[in-house]
Amino acid sequence: MINFENIHKTYPGAQPLHVLKGVNLHIAEGEFVSIMGASGSGKSTMLNILGILDDYDTGDYYLGGTLIKNLSETKSAEYRNHMIGFIFQSFNLIPFKNALENVALPLYYQGVSRKKRQAIAMEYLEKMGLNDWWHHFPNELSGGQKQRIAIARALIGQPKIILADEPTGALDSSTTEEVMEVLSEVNTSGITMIVVTHEQSVANKTKRIIHLKDGIIESDKLNQQ
Amino acid sequence: MRFFEFDTLHEILATMRESKLRTFLTGFAVSWGIFMLIILLGAGNGLKSGVMSNFGDESTNVVEMWPRETTIPYKGFKSHRKLEFTTHEMDIIKTQYPQIDKISGRIFKNPVVSYKKEYGNYNLEGVMPDFKEIKGLKIKTENGRFLNQVDIKQERKVIVLSKKVADVLFRNEKALGKWVKVDNISFQVVGIDTKTSMNEGGSCYIPQSTAQKLYNKANKTDNIILTVTGLYTKEANEKFGDQLRKTLSRALVVNPDDEEALGISNQAANYIQTMKIFSTIDVFVLFIGLCTLIAGIVGVGNIMVITVKERTREFGIKKALGATPGNILSSILLESVVITTSFGYIGMIFGIGLLELIGKVLSMSGGGSGSDGQNISIFINPSVDMGTVLLATSILIVSGLVAGYIPARKAVMIKPIEAMRAE
C-alpha cells in the first residue's frame, strides 16, 4: 500500500535542515503501524509526506500503486480527498460547523449533494455512537467526542489509509483507551492505519512499531503482544 | 466545481456573525461609497433634466432667422435699409439646402381674441403646417388637428388655440368647432394645443396665407424657422449658419459681411454645447463617485486579509480534507462579493430613496408656485435610471472580486501543516 524508496527531505533556510536521510519503508494493506521517535527525529515530516501535505526532495513515494511526486496543488488535494483520512492531536474540527457538518466536509469536496452527504455523515456518527450529538458544535463536546467525530470525518471519504498524528495527545488515559479501541476496530475493517506517537502505551496497541531517529529508521519490528 | 452553494453562504454568514462590528464597519464604507455615487449621479441627472426642460419639447435642431436693418451700404443701397423676408427666400433656402427638414414662416401679431363676452390680447402667429413639429406642439386626437396645407391653400379662417387661451375664452364650454373673433373676423377653432409651456403666455395659430391676407402683408413673413438634420457638431452647425447667411444676403442684396442685417439663432449649437458640458459633468461625477467607492473597496480588501489570517487554521484543515485551491479561492471571492454587494445594495437603496424624496419635495414646491410660468428650473427630477443601477451592481461585483483576490491568493498559499500547527 505504501512504498517509500530512499526518501530525502531537506528544509531550506540559512541553515538547511536535512530531516529525512534516505527512508525506505513498506507498509502493506491493512497494517496497523505506529511511528515513534523523539521530537526532531523526522516523524512529523514523514507524516506530512505520507499525507501528501508536503513534498520530498529525492526518492519515490508510491501510495496504492500511484507515484506521488511533483503533483499540482489541485491533484494532491484530490488524492488527499480520496485516499487519505487525517486524525489530528488537536482534532481540527471547524468551530462554526456542527458535528454533522464537520463529518460531512470531505464529501463536500467530492461533490456529493448536501442531502446525501448528511445522510452518510449520520451513518458514520452512528458508528461512533454520537448520533444524538449531531447538532452540537465542537465547543459543546468532550475531547473524546471530538476525536471520535474527527475519526468519523477521516473515515467518511472511504480512504485507503488513515494517518493519525498523536491522536491521543490531548486526551486523558481512559479516553485514550477508548479512542485506541475505535482505531483498532477501524483497522480490523481493513483500512491501513498509521499512528504517529511518542507514547509507548499507544504504540503498544498497534501491530508494528517503527522507530525513527535522526532522519533514518532505527528499528522496525512487529509488536509481540 | 460548484461556485455557489448553500453551505458556502452559510459559512459566510457564520464568519460575518463572528465579527459583527468589523463586518458592519467594512460594509458601511462600501454602502457609503455607493450611496455617494448614486447621489452624485442623481444630482447630475437632476441638473441635466432641469436644463433640458428649458429646451422643452421643441426640436433641438432649430434654426430661426429674422430680418433687421442693414448697417453697410451695398450695391447702391444705403445703409439702415429695413429688410423683409418673403416666401421667395424660404423657397430659395429650402431648395438649396437638402439638410433642411421642416420649415415655416412666422408672422407675429397681438390682436384681441374674443368669444362671446370673454376677450383678451393674445399672441397670434401666422404659420405653416411644419410649425407643429418644429415647436413640438401637442394636439391630442380628441383636441382636433393642427393647420394643414388645405388651410394654407384656401386661406381658410381656422385657428388653433393653446389650452391656456381656450380655457380663458371658453371657460367650461368645449372650444373645438366654435367660432372666435380675431380683430372682429370670425375664425373656427380646429385644434387645441396642450403643450405645457413654461415661459409663454399662450398663443393662437392661423394659416400664414390667411395672416398675410388679413394684415396686408402680401407674401411677406416676419421670421423663418426651420429644423435641420444630419448636423452633429457645433462646427457643422456654425458652418451651416454661415452658409444660410450668405444665401440670404445674396437674395436680399445685402453685403455678406453685414452680420447685423440678419438675425440667426441656432439652437442646435447651443444644445450641442450644453450636452458637451453635461457629458463632462457626468465623467467628473462618475470619477468622484468611483474614488469614494474605491476607499470602501480597499476597506473590504483589508478586512478580508485579516479574516483570512484569522482563519488560516480553518483553511489548512479544509485543504487537508481535500479542498482544492479553486475551492478556497472561490469561497473567499464569493464572500467578498457577498459583503460588497449586500452592503452596496443597502447604500444604493438609501441613495435612491433620498433622491426620490428630494424629487418629491422639489416637484411639490415647484408645482405649487409655478403659476407665474416664468421660473426657469435648473434642477428637476433627480433620479438614476436602470442602467446606472446595473452599472453600480457590476461595479460592486467587480470590486468585490478585486477586494477578495489578494486575500484569496494568500489563503491558497497556506500550507496545511503550518496552518494546523498554529494555535
Side-chain angles (χ1 to χ4, degrees), chain B residues 95-160:
Chain B
T95 45
Q96 194 160 343
Y97 296 102
Q99 56 267 61
I100 292 176
D101 183 27
K102 310 261 183 228
I103 188 163
S104 170
R106 278 178 108 171
I107 293 171
F108 297 100
K109 287 287 159 189
N110 193 28
V112 175
V113 182
S114 62
Y115 175 72
K116 290 185 181 167
K117 281 180 181 166
E118 305 294 336
Y119 64 91
N121 271 88
Y122 293 105
N123 293 325
L124 179 82
E125 292 192 37
V127 296
M128 288 148 119
D130 276 357
F131 189 79
K132 176 172 179 271
E133 274 78 34
I134 296 172
K135 277 290 176 183
L137 303 184
K138 282 204 188 84
I139 299 174
K140 295 188 196 132
T141 344
E142 69 264 29
N143 286 336
R145 61 172 177 87
F146 195 66
L147 308 171
N148 59 27
Q149 285 300 342
V150 182
D151 298 332
I152 301 283
K153 210 168 252 170
Q154 301 182 353
E155 298 165 7
R156 287 161 85 170
K157 294 193 181 62
V158 289
I159 190 165
V160 172

Side-chain angles (χ1 to χ4, degrees), chain A residues 57-68:
Chain A
D57 300 327
T58 56
D60 289 313
Y61 165 31
Y62 290 91
L63 174 60
T66 317
L67 177 64
I68 307 295

Side-chain angles (χ1 to χ4, degrees), chain A residues 80-81 92 108 114 117, chain B residues 5 7 313 319 321 417:
Chain A
R80 279 199 294 274
N81 190 225
N92 281 331
Y108 170 67
R114 183 181 172 80
R117 64 175 190 263
Chain B
E5 228 216 342
D7 280 20
R313 188 187 187 81
K319 284 181 105 176
L321 294 180
I417 331 149

Side-chain angles (χ1 to χ4, degrees), chain B residues 192-251:
Chain B
I192 311 286
D193 161 40
T194 52
K195 176 195 172 194
T196 48
S197 181
M198 287 263 193
N199 37 17
E200 281 168 40
S203 300
C204 317
Y205 307 100
I206 59 173
Q208 180 169 270
S209 53
T210 315
Q212 283 166 338
K213 189 152 209 183
L214 195 59
Y215 296 105
N216 285 323
K217 291 188 73 112
N219 61 345
K220 295 194 179 82
T221 175
D222 292 335
N223 285 14
I224 298 174
I225 189 166
L226 55 86
T227 61
V228 287
T229 53
L231 301 179
Y232 301 114
T233 63
K234 190 167 174 276
E235 290 69 32
N237 276 287
E238 278 170 353
K239 197 172 159 218
F240 176 72
D242 289 343
Q243 287 171 336
L244 266 187
R245 184 185 296 283
K246 273 191 192 120
T247 310
L248 287 172
S249 295
R250 206 176 307 124

